[in-house]
Amino acid sequence: MSVPGEVNGGFATGDLIHLNGNSLGPPRTDLLDRLGTVVSEQWARGQVRAWFRDGWLDLPRTVGDKLSPLLGAAPGQVVVAGDTTSTTLFNALVAACRLRDRPVVLVEGDAFPTDLYLAASVARLLGRELVVESRDGFDAYLGEHGDRVAVALAAPVDFRTGRRRDIGSTTALCHAVGALSVWDLCHAAGVLPTNLDTNNVDLAIGCGYKYLGGGPGAPAFLYVAERWQSEVDFPLAGWHGHAEPFAMTPDFVPATGIDRGRNGTPPLLSLVALDHALDPLVAVGIDELHRRAKALGEAFLDALRPDVEVVSPRDPDQRGGHLALRVPDADAVEHGLAERNVLVDARPPDLIRVAFAPLYVTPEHVRRAAEAIHSVLSPPN
Amino acid sequence: MSVPGEVNGGFATGDLIHLNGNSLGPPRTDLLDRLGTVVSEQWARGQVRAWFRDGWLDLPRTVGDKLSPLLGAAPGQVVVAGDTTSTTLFNALVAACRLRDRPVVLVEGDAFPTDLYLAASVARLLGRELVVESRDGFDAYLGEHGDRVAVALAAPVDFRTGRRRDIGSTTALCHAVGALSVWDLCHAAGVLPTNLDTNNVDLAIGCGYKYLGGGPGAPAFLYVAERWQSEVDFPLAGWHGHAEPFAMTPDFVPATGIDRGRNGTPPLLSLVALDHALDPLVAVGIDELHRRAKALGEAFLDALRPDVEVVSPRDPDQRGGHLALRVPDADAVEHGLAERNVLVDARPPDLIRVAFAPLYVTPEHVRRAAEAIHSVLSPPN
């Protein structure tokens, strides 16, 4: 497989090799300029009027629309309400459950732990039953007890191994038994095509600070398929999700369209940073981002010594944007690599994850990273 | 009453008079330096390690502790989890209701509309009854049906009129009937002493972007009295609120202490801006801030023509940091004042609010603002 020779510049990577874009990538070099415009020109000069004059009030929707092509969503279905990923997942799960009067919330045991915590919390609040299954058990449960399932929560990329779950077929499996699907796209958005519309996804959420590059704790996004937007009923009924936010009526009247997914006043600086981060991703496009990430992954594997155990699928079409390697001591290897200016992510006790965010990782980087791994695993004499 | 002659500088006010610090004050002039440190030094150089090296991970608690003296709270009871005000109120209300197996959530009809929306949402989720009463009816309901009330939600400052509700006596009234109090401090924090500990408050929330100056959509804070911290049970069970966030266990084990109020990964840039905004407030102290705000309000009233109707209590000890004036057309007056570089806040149809945030409003400002109001209400020939 050919390896891309070019990389989009403009990232403040310093002398570091950033193979943890699945966790937090580097900032763009011009982020401070953008923040300066917001603080010094819009905020200081326009003050509260900037919410209207400078489009702040619309940002949750305009950032959502900017993000949409990366997710395979037509405009008007994605919003960045300004809450954390955990909160956004909570909101989506409650709303999805309310669309199906059935007893079970189904989730994979290998889901990111917060997904398990919030699914349990939602099940308890709504008097539903949380069913946690293995990867294969998840599909089997849908097959055998699907008529009991209100909502199935799944992720297209296993956060540990990178192994993919097909969005289209899983969603079809849910729909065949009358269940709704909620997708956690945290480890996919920005590196893997998710084709939410053509895959007939119901609701999805994802965080802004992994491959999307929005920076530490960037707010999460929410996708609501257009067909659900007039029925969906969110528990987080903040005033920005009201049909007339400034009417200040005593009763909540939900907005139409994706604005219904809005909540309180969003954390603007963090939202602007996410908005800024999306530009180069959108310019390249999700298919090309995915192609480059795959090529980088293959180049890394080509350079890796065969005795290093790769936990992820070897077929690049069976994994997301990262690879997991088994090592004797994940924390020690992570630290050893950091000393060599290679940033990876440790999953103790024995996994490190190596991610190929294609805007700031080069073929040269992945070759040097493989060498550094060899050096850390068997220090030269 | 004497008027303070000095004002703490360091705010990028431009040539504007900012009388809407109850909505969004101006940024500090050195905010971009602080953001630059975070983006260029901590994020770009430290990358994900900055969460540990540079204290990012502790910020929800350290910002909470920095804020505590302004609220009259001993350390370890305030956290800025990183969610919006609406979400934080939702989380607090559910948790408070779970502490009392009683049917009613009580709220004032004059509450900020989002408070009504979220109280209704929480009541519905938990199968409780929402009771909305007038200001006097609120106290009467507690007196007559107090044993039915799980949680009473109240605000120390009416967001329209500025009229105060006494935190101590209202909380005592709740406790006398076995109800819990949840306080919305949005229009009080940073300008009015709230003495949460001595007033025996149970839970409280407030936003970071009004008098606290954290900037557009700054994340909200949550206060949980120490005596409730081992019992309180939040629905937003994100991984940062886990006893061992990095253990990645499948079951949620809530953290001890105020960390239990944490949730997902917080929006760091907005959180840092709030942290930065608190320094000059804490340096002055809440009692002095309140003294200055009162003096500014009195100076404004002294300069105001007697024919302008003041809706707020004339006794400065009966109101918060703002005054409401009745005008023929609130939006028109707000715009007319903005053309004169005086920023106020319109509450259509007929109220404008004038806030006295004491760090960047001077006695000269309030005199000029009064003149501008006279000019707008009766344009000179």
Side-chain angles (χ1 to χ4, degrees), chain A residues 3 21 27 54 58 61 100 115 117 123-124 155 161 163-164 169 180 187 197 207 225 235 238 307 330 357:
Chain A
V3 162
D54 296 302
D58 295 328
R61 203 176 49 234
R100 284 290 180 270
D115 292 25
Y117 306 157
R124 185 177 147 218
T161 66
R163 187 172 167 196
R164 284 176 64 172
S169 58
L180 289 193
H187 289 82
D197 284 353
C207 77
D307 62 295

Side-chain angles (χ1 to χ4, degrees), chain A residues 24 47 121 124 233 235 249, chain B residues 24 47 117 121 124 233 235 249:
Chain A
L24 176 72
Q47 241 273 337
S121 175
R124 185 177 147 218
D233 177 9
T249 64
Chain B
L24 176 72
Q47 243 273 338
Y117 306 157
S121 175
R124 184 176 147 220
D233 178 8
T249 62

Side-chain angles (χ1 to χ4, degrees), chain A residues 153-226:
Chain A
L153 170 63
V157 179
D158 184 293
F159 83 102
R160 288 186 188 83
T161 66
R163 187 172 167 196
R164 284 176 64 172
R165 170 181 278 283
D166 186 66
I167 296 178
S169 58
T170 300
T171 301
L173 189 57
C174 291
H175 291 176
V177 297
L180 289 193
S181 63
V182 174
W183 287 91
D184 173 351
L185 307 179
C186 285
H187 289 82
V191 75
L192 183 71
T194 52
N195 299 315
L196 299 183
D197 284 353
T198 57
N199 279 326
N200 216 15
V201 165
D202 300 298
L203 286 89
I205 65 99
C207 77
Y209 51 84
K210 296 184 188 290
Y211 294 101
L212 295 181
F221 64 86
L222 169 72
Y223 166 90
V224 182
E226 194 195 356

